[in-house]
Every structure is written in C-alpha cells, then in structure tokens.
Amino acid sequence: MMTDLKVLSAMITPVVLILATGQLILTTSQRLARSIERARKLSDQFEELVRKEEDQINAEKKELLYQLLYRAAYRSRKLQHTISLLYVALSTFVATSISIGLLEALGILTLWVPVVLGIFGTVFLFYATILLIAETRIALAAVDVEMNYLVRNFRRDIPKTAEEKGEIK
C-alpha cells in the first residue's frame, strides 16, 4: 500500500489537468458566445439586405453574408463539439483522482483503473485541442473572405497612402 502522502500526491496530479481543462472550457465558451453573436449579427444583416432592391452590389453582399453565416454556423457547431469533449475530459480527470483515493482506501491494488482513466481524459483533451485549431482556421478563413470582398468592392475608397505604403495589395 502507498503511504498517505503518496496517495495524496497521486490524487493531486490530475488536478493540473483539471485546471488546464477548466481554463480551456472557459475560453472556448467565450469563443462560442462570440461566434453565436456574430452569426446573429450576420443573419440580421442578411435579412435587411434581402428586403432591399436587387443590384450587383447587393447580390455580392448577399453571397458574402451567406458564406460568412455558413462559416459562423460551422464554427459554432465545432466549438460546441469541443466544449462537450472538454467536459468529458474534465469528468475523466476528476474520476481519475477519485479512483486513486478510493482504490487506496479500499486496499485494492488495481493501478490500471486510474491509468486508463487518465489516458482517456488525455485523449479527449488532445482531440479537443485539435478541434480548436480547426476552429481558428475557420475563423481566419471567414476573415479572409470578408476582407477579399471589401478590397474587391471598395478599393477605390482606400486612401492612396495605404496603397503607397504597401499595406494594401
């Protein structure tokens, strides 16, 4: 059997992963809220534009808003999936800590249970971070689409000094 100090140390080890996962949940929740708010704003703009007269600029703007809405919805779904994985990882790390203490208290020398739980939690956490990387790429692609539209349609309104400095290509 482990000494009390070793048991306590072993139970605290997953706490580092619990804290990291909790922080990821917090930041991902904020990202999801911003993404949903952006989708709502785009939806309102799209509805307003649909009510206006048809012309070339409106048609292009509608296409842009549709693309941005699609990306915002896709991004929100990915963030929701990520948060779910983070909650599963968090639960698994808590279960790891509990299993270490419980198995020791019961005198059961089954070390594979907390090890397996820890591995599962780490895999969920890893997959969630991969999804967060993919989500940032979606956000960047949406910004690229929007900036390309603005440059294509409003280049004449860009101050000459910006072009001369090489800020606009």
Side-chain angles (χ1 to χ4, degrees):
M1 287 221 194
M2 292 194 272
T3 65
D4 292 339
L5 186 56
K6 284 184 180 179
V7 172
L8 187 58
S9 294
M11 288 179 66
I12 290 175
T13 302
V15 171
V16 174
L17 292 170
I18 290 168
L19 291 172
T21 304
Q23 187 64 35
L24 275 174
I25 288 170
L26 179 65
T27 58
T28 304
S29 295
Q30 292 169 343
R31 287 164 78 167
L32 178 59
R34 285 194 313 269
S35 179
I36 289 170
E37 185 59 35
R38 175 79 171 134
R40 286 181 180 145
K41 184 178 177 184
L42 289 169
S43 179
D44 291 344
Q45 289 176 352
F46 187 79
E47 286 179 27
E48 184 179 314
L49 196 59
V50 167
R51 291 186 194 111
K52 290 184 177 181
E53 289 183 27
E54 284 290 323
D55 64 16
Q56 183 59 32
I57 295 292
N58 280 349
E60 273 190 74
K61 181 74 173 187
K62 275 192 249 181
E63 176 62 29
L64 168 72
L65 289 174
Y66 178 78
Q67 286 181 21
L68 293 175
L69 271 167
Y70 178 81
R71 290 172 194 267
Y74 184 59
R75 182 178 175 211
S76 294
R77 283 190 296 275
K78 191 160 291 288
L79 285 166
Q80 173 55 45
H81 188 127
T82 302
I83 286 175
S84 297
L85 283 171
L86 289 171
Y87 278 123
V88 170
L90 179 66
S91 299
T92 307
F93 293 139
V94 170
T96 302
S97 186
I98 291 170
S99 70
I100 291 168
L102 194 60
L103 290 173
E104 183 61 28
L106 296 174
I108 301 172
L109 298 174
T110 309
L111 297 177
W112 65 268
V113 173
V115 170
V116 169
L117 285 170
I119 289 171
F120 275 122
T122 305
V123 168
F124 288 126
L125 183 59
F126 177 71
Y127 185 49
T129 58
I130 297 298
L131 290 179
L132 285 171
I133 292 168
E135 180 269 332
T136 59
R137 296 188 55 79
I138 295 166
L140 180 61
V143 169
D144 285 345
V145 166
E146 194 167 4
M147 292 303 110
N148 288 339
Y149 167 82
L150 292 173
V151 169
R152 189 173 57 250
N153 289 292
F154 299 101
R155 186 178 195 104
R156 66 187 172 280
D157 297 323
I158 298 171
K160 291 292 181 197
T161 56
E163 285 187 286
E164 290 168 2
K165 289 180 182 177
E167 295 171 356
I168 307 296
K169 296 180 182 180

